Amino acid sequence: MLQSADLASVRSFVVRELVDFGAEPDRVSDGARLEELEIDSLGVVELTASIKREFGVDVPLEALTKDVTVAGVIALIQGAAAA
């Protein structure tokens, strides 16, 4: 499992990726939904690949296409790392 100290780095990674995929930086908050940030299906696929590269874990694509928030993405990464 990712240590609590890693939570900040996971969040920073997710925010950075979402901004790279076109989200407005000031709109990215833990409660923001990916669709509200205008992250399209290609962005979700790219996010999945980035998570795999960065953390070596698989987050199911389906999990990221359901009404997920930024905090939800972070939790998915942590859950996959704990498995």
Side-chain angles (χ1 to χ4, degrees):
M1 180 177 189
L2 295 172
Q3 297 177 10
S4 61
D6 292 328
L7 179 60
S9 63
V10 173
R11 186 179 191 293
S12 176
F13 164 82
V14 171
V15 170
R16 182 177 64 246
E17 290 297 304
L18 294 176
V19 169
D20 285 350
F21 299 145
E24 295 291 329
D26 60 336
R27 293 186 60 211
V28 180
S29 66
D30 285 348
R33 301 194 180 291
L34 296 188
E35 63 190 29
E36 294 171 346
L37 299 173
E38 299 181 21
I39 303 302
D40 62 14
S41 57
L42 178 59
V44 170
V45 170
E46 291 176 350
L47 179 59
T48 303
S50 294
I51 292 168
K52 175 75 172 179
R53 276 193 308 276
E54 183 76 14
F55 300 104
V57 298
D58 289 313
V59 172
L61 183 61
E62 303 81 37
L64 294 177
T65 58
K66 296 181 179 171
D67 200 26
V68 68
T69 63
V70 172
V73 174
I74 294 166
L76 287 167
I77 295 169
Q78 289 180 305

